[in-house]
Amino acid sequence: MKKLLSFLVIGVVAVLPLSVKAFSLVPSCEKSCPTEDGKCEQTCKIEVKNNTGSLTIFEPTLTITGDSDKITLKSIQGGEGWEASQTRDGNVINLKFLATSPVTASNFTLATFVLELEDKATDCSLSLKNEEVTVEIETEVTEEVETGATIPLAILACAVVAGGAIYLVTKKNKKLYKI
């Protein structure tokens, strides 16, 4: 009987953590540089995972750290069934999402927003915070990509030096040999 009880307790302890899933916000961002006006844009999509309740309003804050003065929230669009609005106070952007009808889906897209970065070297991070969930969103600094254009120039320089050496060597030897 003790063995059966111990197997039952071990089974419950092993299975219990597998079934618990917490509410989470999952960001995914893409950065494009430069746009037609020389600035960069970062488009972020926020998805809700493992929702267990009925949501009608969602009010997170988006805190910008780093070069916050070089970043503007260009646009924000709520996901399907959500209306989005925003207000900014310094480096904190208060977001408000209202559902047209209660959302009970487990996984859904909450919003898509576009940040305008002053240049490719804008260094910042974003923190999306709700009452129970905090998510960090990184903005990577775009660096210049080396194209490898110096390699053909080096080959060309070596060819010119080799051609000059061949010319000088053949100019000194003007003897004709009879065969």
Side-chain angles (χ1 to χ4, degrees):
M1 184 70 167
K2 287 183 181 181
K3 284 186 179 182
L4 181 61
L5 185 60
S6 63
F7 282 127
L8 183 63
V9 169
I10 290 172
V12 168
V13 170
V15 173
L16 189 61
L18 297 176
S19 65
V20 175
K21 293 181 181 176
F23 176 86
S24 62
L25 297 171
V26 181
S28 61
C29 297
E30 288 184 11
K31 186 175 179 182
S32 60
C33 283
T35 57
E36 59 275 351
D37 56 356
K39 297 183 178 186
C40 295
E41 286 185 352
Q42 182 163 337
T43 304
C44 295
K45 184 164 91 173
I46 305 295
E47 295 185 68
V48 173
K49 301 285 184 185
N50 305 318
N51 177 33
T52 56
S54 176
L55 293 175
T56 55
I57 188 168
F58 193 75
E59 296 181 284
T61 58
L62 186 64
T63 306
I64 304 169
T65 55
D67 299 337
S68 62
D69 57 329
K70 294 183 176 181
I71 298 173
T72 56
L73 184 59
K74 189 174 180 180
S75 68
I76 185 163
Q77 182 178 10
E80 188 176 330
W82 290 93
E83 294 176 7
S85 62
Q86 54 99 9
T87 57
R88 183 169 182 163
D89 183 25
N91 67 336
V92 176
I93 301 171
N94 296 308
L95 304 172
K96 186 173 186 177
F97 301 101
L98 292 171
T100 53
S101 62
V103 178
T104 57
S106 176
N107 302 325
F108 59 90
T109 300
L110 179 65
T112 302
F113 59 89
V114 178
L115 297 170
E116 186 174 71
L117 309 159
E118 198 168 287
D119 57 23
K120 63 183 175 224
T122 301
D123 185 21
C124 70
S125 64
L126 308 169
S127 176
L128 185 66
K129 193 181 294 186
N130 193 29
E131 296 166 356
E132 63 256 355
V133 180
T134 301
V135 178
E136 295 294 324
I137 303 170
E138 292 296 321
T139 299
E140 297 178 11
V141 175
T142 305
E143 297 177 6
E144 294 288 330
V145 178
E146 301 223 1
T147 61
T150 57
I151 293 174
L153 293 175
I155 292 171
L156 186 61
C158 289
V160 168
V161 169
I166 292 171
Y167 175 74
L168 288 175
V169 169
T170 57
K171 188 170 181 163
K172 287 185 178 184
N173 294 329
K174 289 192 173 185
K175 282 185 179 179
L176 289 175
Y177 294 99
K178 286 186 181 181
I179 301 178

